Amino acid sequence: MTYAKKLKPHEFHPWQGKQPLLSRLDIELTERCNNNCLHCCINLPEDDDGRRREMSTDFVKDVITQASDLGCLTVRFTGGEPLLREDLAELYEFTRRMGMHVILFTNGRLITKELAALLAGFPPGRVVEVSVYGMRTETYDRIVGKKGAFDEFRRGVALLQEHQIPFIVKGPLFSFTKDELVEFERWAATIPRMDKQPGYSMNFDLRSRRDDSAKNARIANLRATPAETVSALSRNPLYLEGMKQFCAKFMGPPGDMLFSCGAGHGTCIDAYGKAQMCMGLRNPEMVYDLLNGGLTGLRHALTEIFPRMREMQATNSDYLNRCARCFLKGLCEQCPAKSWMEHGTLDTPVEYLCSVAHAQARYLGLVGERENAWEVEDWKERVKRFTV
Amino acid sequence: MEQMHEAKYVPSEDVVARMIEDELIIVPLVAGIGDTDDELYTLNETGKAIWSRLDGKKSLRAVIDELATEFTAPAGEIEKDVLGLVGELTRRKIIVAQSA
């Protein structure tokens, strides 16, 4: 007889037909970053005054304890660059000793021998995710805006490799780094946990605090065009088959409910202790301040605040005439967070995202050259034809 | 076997046990307990009843006696379960014998 059963975290589901209140907690430990990437939507300088407003060590531990009480199995530390926090190792160890796995997002530049030894002796249980900004010094340092950054990144990655810490790599795609792509993917394929193509970002978000219009203009210029997006996605030999399976599940008009996504079913805590419905939605009216929430603030946000917000309906007539009726929901990144970043509202259509979704839909044969997807009446038949 | 009955066991410091929705999960903290980094363990109902008594103070004999008083199962079956679970969890380094 076997008394103990081995299982993966996703196989553990004692909630009996319900969704867990919180299966993963995202914590942005800081918005500060030692990089100043051309395309970044959130970073502050590493010596920014915002540091004084960041959550204290004890506060973060309290939030993690609350998450543990809710049955959370995984905590993701992100930022900014989370390794800028001097208490990162302490928070990491605390989280692991609470019986949770840790996903660490990092650019790798600040990985030290001590941290690598900690991660090796006390594994995170999930792979470390390293963002890579180029394969050559001049490209990398130009994108991150820091001289010497590439060497530090390589040193950090070498420490992960030396200590056999499982990690994966991912990165942004720019038109001016195309010629490094093959080199990047060849290198990525040598990393033991990289069993598929690296994840890429290319449809960059604007500043999510809506704090820098000049930077927004630069980010908009760096975004992949709709045609470039399709070209990049379709390089993956698994793209078409993956899209068939995806479209079979996730297409159809979302209607006038604002949140047809998963926002609010989990949470992301920002660097200052505000619980957000997702990592992108920072509208001050849509967050819950855990500093006011006491010992059960996280539960309150997830059971009282967010469910009420999820009931919100769109009122923007353009949105109601287009997005609410558009069957490309699964292909389009339009959501309250993106609308907030682009327009400062929750329900204004984002033209760029609409163009990207339509370009993909045309490539997949779901809409014609001049068609608008919200005007397509036989969308169910089209999706069926594509997915069988 | 008699020696094992007198032994006392505790959860290893290399694991954390959590109760979530009445399920006990055991989360390894170090490499080498599971086959992969992210593995968890759950115990069946029998395992849970035994686990809660492995406190480093009670011998396995005391655990068996306590369970025999509390449950109606035959003593021989309870003994088999306790020794079976302890053997399995010791092999997996999830519990360790308490040194005297």
Side-chain angles (χ1 to χ4, degrees):
Chain A
M1 183 169 176
T2 303
Y3 301 89
K5 184 180 164 195
K6 266 196 301 192
L7 69 174
K8 298 281 187 186
H10 69 271
E11 295 168 333
F12 178 68
H13 198 90
W15 290 274
Q16 303 200 344
K18 294 180 293 181
Q19 288 298 311
L21 209 47
L22 186 67
S23 54
R24 188 188 75 204
L25 174 69
D26 291 335
I27 305 182
E28 286 177 343
L29 289 174
T30 178
E31 285 183 19
R32 294 174 296 117
C33 190
N34 53 342
N35 284 346
N36 183 21
C37 294
L38 295 171
H39 62 292
C40 186
C41 67
I42 188 65
N43 69 307
L44 294 172
E46 62 182 292
D47 57 354
D48 191 87
D49 272 355
R51 179 182 191 155
R52 288 184 296 185
R53 293 190 293 120
E54 288 174 2
M55 292 181 282
S56 68
T57 308
D58 285 345
F59 188 87
V60 179
K61 286 181 180 176
D62 178 63
V63 172
I64 291 166
T65 304
Q66 288 187 48
S68 170
D69 291 344
L70 296 174
C72 179
L73 291 175
T74 306
V75 174
R76 181 161 68 175
F77 287 137
T78 180
E81 171 53 50
L83 269 54
L84 277 176
R85 291 269 307 214
E86 286 165 7
D87 56 0
L88 187 274
E90 182 180 345
L91 293 172
Y92 171 80
E93 194 167 336
F94 179 82
T95 309
R96 290 294 287 121
R97 289 198 185 280
M98 294 296 287
M100 288 181 270
H101 291 147
V102 173
I103 300 172
L104 182 60
F105 278 11
T106 179
N107 58 40
R109 287 178 54 199
L110 295 171
I111 293 171
T112 59
K113 278 184 188 166
E114 292 73 22
L115 182 64
L118 176 67
L119 296 173
F122 209 40
R126 300 288 291 271
V127 290
V128 175
E129 297 194 24
V130 181
S131 297
V132 181
Y133 302 100
M135 293 302 290
R136 295 170 205 156
T137 305
E138 57 276 19
T139 317
Y140 189 104
D141 290 3
R142 176 189 163 201
I143 291 168
V144 310
K146 294 286 161 97
K147 211 166 178 174
F150 182 67
D151 290 342
E152 289 176 357
F153 149 73
R154 295 301 296 221
R155 206 159 38 238
V157 164
L159 281 167
L160 292 178
Q161 287 172 318
E162 192 181 308
H163 287 78
Q164 298 183 333
I165 297 158
F167 71 99
I168 59 169
V169 292
K170 57 191 181 180
L173 270 185
F174 300 102
S175 54
F176 60 88
T177 57
K178 265 187 206 153
D179 57 340
E180 292 181 30
L181 207 53
V182 173
E183 194 180 344
F184 174 53
E185 291 187 355
R186 199 175 293 143
W187 172 66
T190 67
I191 297 168
R193 289 298 175 98
M194 289 297 296
D195 50 7
K196 54 186 176 193
Q197 202 179 29
Y200 293 112
S201 56
M202 61 192 116
N203 309 121
F204 308 121
D205 290 338
L206 300 186
R207 300 289 293 176
S208 63
R209 294 248 179 243
R210 299 182 52 74
D211 58 358
D212 191 334
S213 53
K215 196 156 190 182
N216 273 349
R218 187 170 70 200
I219 293 169
N221 277 329
L222 290 166
R223 286 169 159 172
T225 64
E228 287 169 339
T229 304
V230 170
S231 166
L233 292 173
S234 58
R235 279 179 62 243
N236 186 336
L238 303 174
Y239 173 70
L240 205 55
E241 197 47 46
M243 289 314 295
K244 284 182 181 179
Q245 291 173 20
F246 180 83
C247 288
K249 289 185 201 159
F250 298 112
M251 299 297 259
D256 61 1
M257 298 299 287
L258 263 181
F259 292 95
S260 55
C261 56
H265 287 316
T267 185
C268 171
I269 312 303
D270 81 1
Y272 317 109
K274 307 279 197 301
Q276 302 175 175
M277 294 174 75
C278 71
M279 205 173 276
L281 187 51
R282 299 176 196 275
N283 177 343
E285 291 171 12
M286 300 295 290
V287 300
Y288 178 71
D289 192 345
L290 290 176
L291 284 167
N292 302 328
L295 294 174
T296 56
L298 202 52
R299 178 182 289 275
H300 184 63
L302 290 162
T303 58
E304 303 288 335
I305 306 293
F306 294 165
R308 275 205 301 272
M309 290 176 178
R310 284 188 59 83
E311 294 299 313
M312 290 173 71
Q313 291 178 306
T315 55
N316 179 303
S317 59
D318 206 15
Y319 182 96
L320 293 171
N321 287 328
R322 292 169 49 181
C323 307
R325 298 167 51 211
C326 181
F327 80 100
L328 302 184
K329 182 181 77 170
L331 295 179
C332 186
E333 289 189 39
Q334 172 77 34
C335 68
K338 305 281 182 179
S339 174
W340 168 254
M341 293 175 207
E342 302 267 337
H343 301 296
T345 66
L346 298 177
D347 58 357
T348 308
V350 177
E351 294 300 337
Y352 171 68
L353 298 177
C354 183
S355 303
V356 170
H358 274 78
Q360 274 196 82
R362 286 187 190 107
Y363 178 82
L364 300 174
L366 291 167
V367 296
E369 274 309 310
R370 291 169 193 278
E371 273 186 314
N372 294 314
W374 57 87
E375 292 166 343
V376 172
E377 289 180 1
D378 64 340
W379 65 268
K380 281 185 186 168
E381 287 76 28
R382 295 190 191 194
V383 171
K384 199 172 172 188
R385 270 201 305 275
F386 172 60
T387 55
V388 289
Chain B
M1 186 66 89
E2 275 307 301
Q3 204 177 358
M4 190 171 177
H5 281 71
E6 298 313 319
K8 298 165 182 173
Y9 287 84
V10 281
S12 160
E13 289 181 355
D14 293 337
V15 301
V16 175
R18 299 176 59 190
M19 284 296 287
I20 300 178
E21 300 277 312
D22 290 331
E23 288 279 343
L24 178 79
I25 62 162
I26 297 166
V27 184
L29 294 179
V30 300
I33 291 181
D35 297 328
T36 59
D37 300 336
D38 60 347
E39 257 166 18
L40 307 170
Y41 292 86
T42 56
L43 298 185
N44 62 13
E45 288 304 314
T46 308
K48 278 199 285 187
I50 301 167
W51 172 271
S52 64
R53 289 165 171 83
L54 300 177
D55 58 4
K57 293 174 190 154
K58 294 186 193 88
S59 65
L60 293 190
R61 185 182 304 286
V63 170
I64 293 164
D65 290 346
E66 201 174 300
L67 289 166
T69 311
E70 193 170 327
F71 297 100
T72 52
E77 203 173 295
I78 289 177
E79 180 181 18
K80 196 174 141 200
D81 281 337
V82 170
L83 299 182
L85 177 87
V86 166
E88 187 178 338
L89 297 189
T90 306
R91 267 196 313 281
R92 295 191 192 277
K93 302 179 196 159
I94 290 173
I95 59 171
V96 290
Q98 182 84 313
S99 46

